[in-house]
Amino acid sequence: MLNYIIRRCLMAIPLLIAISIVTFIVIKLPPGSYLETYIAEQQRLGGEVTQDRVEAIKQRYGLGQPTYVQYFKWISGFPRGDFGMSFKAQQPVAKIIKERIGFTILLSLATVLFTWSLAVPIGIYSAVRQYSVFDYVFTFIGFIGVAIPNFLLALFLMFIGVKFFGADLSGLFSMEYMGEPWSFGKFIDMLKHLWVPVVVVGTGGMAGLIRIMRGQMLDELRKAYVQTARAKGLSEYIVIVKHVARIAINPFVSTIGWMLPGLISGGTLAGIVLGLPTLGPKLLDALKTQDMYLAGTIMMLLSSLTIIGTLISDILLAIVDPRIRYE
Amino acid sequence: MDKKKILEVKNLRTYFYTHEGVVKAVDDVDFEIYEGETLGVVGESGCGKSMTSKSIMNLVPKPKGKLEPGSSIKYYGLDEVVDITSLSPRSKEMRSLRGNEMAMIFQEPMTSLNPVYTIGSQIIEAVRLHQGVSKEEAREIAIEMIRKVGIPAPEKRVDEYPFELSGGMRQRAMIAMALSCNPKFLIADEPTTALDVTVEAQILDLMQDLQDEFNTAIMFITHDLDVIGEIADRVMVMYTGKVVETASVDEIFYNPKHPYTKGLLSSIPKIGNKEELVPIEGTVPNLTELPKGCYFAPRCPHAMDICREKMPPTFDINEEHSVKCWLSEKEGGSMNEE
Ligand SMILES: Nc1ncnc2c1ncn2[C@@H]1O[C@H](COP(=O)(O)OP(=O)(O)OP(=O)(O)O)[C@@H](O)[C@H]1O
Ligand code: SF4
Ligand SMILES: [Mg+2]
């Protein structure tokens, strides 16, 4: 088992390197050098750039030197937490990301929890009661969830909030808690806001997950071991939950891999509409303004998340499925 | 016969209501099984062997499958006679019979065990469910059962997963699980079909040894008459959901009466037998479009006019031998009142 995990981790390393190279190419794509962009930006803001400053930046990013040197200068900052500068915000990229990554992860995890805790039982029940009214109703509701664009649902929920509860549900905090230190009240306030993006982003993926769970269950229910379990005298609940669902959920685990980055980028639109302090809207912003170090770092982060997600999936899968573990 | 009756099936009819019509998977089946004996059940594919056993276990797939009114399955293993047809499939009473009083071994050793639990934990689950013992005791019982079915190194094997075992070993594990609660009645639905001949012989020996030890009644389903000759005391031949002949194993092999039984016998190779192999002509009819009269008439070399008109009743040749064929009426069989 430990062997398996170590092997998996080692395999992730070349992938990460490949991704960093691609990301660097993307950073270099826009015409003009960072320096020019930087100076232009500074002048636009009415500031002067001293010769010393120009030299320092040249030195830091290896400008004027071969591309591979620039790449190494860029990548060698990573271990120190130096991801370059956001020229637009005039701030280190690391600072911007640090401000947002916490909420992004929180929101993603909350969404995963929300979708799974609904999709799994609904999928199981739909399969056990295949073609029942319940099955049809939830299939229908699930597809409505897919069909309604996220931003529309977000607007709708905000409208409901204002209209019927007199509450502004946008953002993650109410005005009075913005910029305040953490307190119990702030936490509760956050929960009051958090459910909106969770529902908005979660419903989009729900139908797909219900279908996967339902299909897996139907496949498994046909198998001979189910008869064996029943013939033992086990109650139907134990047969379904302990024997069938236990196996049907395995492929589900492997969806974590593409789910993590999907949640961040998938939440972009909702994030913009709801004004959330997450990474999705920031990425879009950075790309629009060609703030390439920021955009590149976020992309790098998303790709790494995919790899980490896949890694987690594989390890979880090995834990839940002995057949994989022993291969 | 002084033997104690374990199970009595009467007028069992298990029908499936499908879009194509009513499938009479089991159609008016009567039989009895006694303590310590093996009843062999043979017949071509689709003749209702498995459905008969599933009806006994009260595991007929719902909602399409249904036992018709008048069906009766009586279990005599307890102090009081239990009519299984009166129990709801999911009721406590039914579940306390299943796996405990009566157990079942299935055809596919490869898929009949849950792949994500060790064989030990699957046996322990059954033991704990029915015997109310502690985890440790259940584990001891599981190891003991694994030893009994001849799996080497049981203390180690108990913690292995099904995929770590060969087909034969898995089927042994299946048998260990089925017998872990000392059932009085065991259904084995083609337990050796997926195994090669040497392994099959070992498993059959094992089942007979265990039967001697526990005095279990076994209903052994197969389409292999050689296996029947090996293991059965009595034989029940099924065709299109009906029992066409019941007799002791010797009677079936040396004095078969029903043309279908004769057909089955002449379609298997026998050592030292120079007669040519003659497979039964034609195929099993679709259960939704059964012919009038005797269902075997279209394939029967002896079919008479009456055969195409009237379903033959069951004639008793002697105490142990009954045949559902008009030919037996001529031979002087007495008509069975059912
Ligand atoms: N779920 C179902 N729906 C409709 N018909 C069914 C269903 N299950 C079984 N049947 C029908 O019941 C009949 C008896 O099936 P059964 O499984 O008892 O046959 P069998 O004698 O065990 O055959 P085999 O030797 O192939 O195992 C078959 O003709 C089959 O078509
Ligand atoms: S009743 Fe007639 S058709 Fe049926 S098996 Fe006997 S002889 Fe053949
Ligand atoms: Mg069968």
Side-chain angles (χ1 to χ4, degrees), chain B residues 258-259 294 296-297 300 302-303 307 312 325-327:
Chain B
H258 198 285
C294 174
F296 190 57
C300 181
H302 309 288
C307 303
C325 170
W326 287 118
L327 290 174

Side-chain angles (χ1 to χ4, degrees), chain A residues 129 224-225 227-228 230-236 238 242-243 246-247 250 320-323 325-326, chain B residues 54 57 59 90 95 98-99 106 111-117 122 125-126 129-130 161 163-164 174 177:
Chain A
R129 299 258 180 282
Y225 71 84
Q227 283 279 353
T228 310
R230 290 201 180 111
K232 268 194 222 179
L234 296 174
S235 72
E236 193 62 15
I238 298 278
K242 184 175 166 193
H243 285 268
R246 169 70 176 70
I247 296 182
N250 288 359
V320 296
D321 195 337
R323 289 166 295 183
R325 182 155 77 230
Y326 281 72
Chain B
K54 281 183 189 158
M57 295 296 280
L59 287 173
R90 293 186 185 176
R95 287 195 285 112
R98 256 186 235 135
F106 296 91
T111 53
S112 292
L113 289 162
N114 190 319
V116 303
Y117 294 111
Q122 296 187 56
E125 186 178 37
L129 179 69
H130 295 298
Y161 291 93
F163 64 89
E164 294 176 83
M174 221 17 239
M177 188 163 91

Side-chain angles (χ1 to χ4, degrees), chain B residues 236-247:
Chain B
M236 179 165 106
V237 183
M238 288 187 75
Y239 186 71
T240 55
K242 288 187 178 291
V243 177
V244 294
E245 184 161 13
T246 312

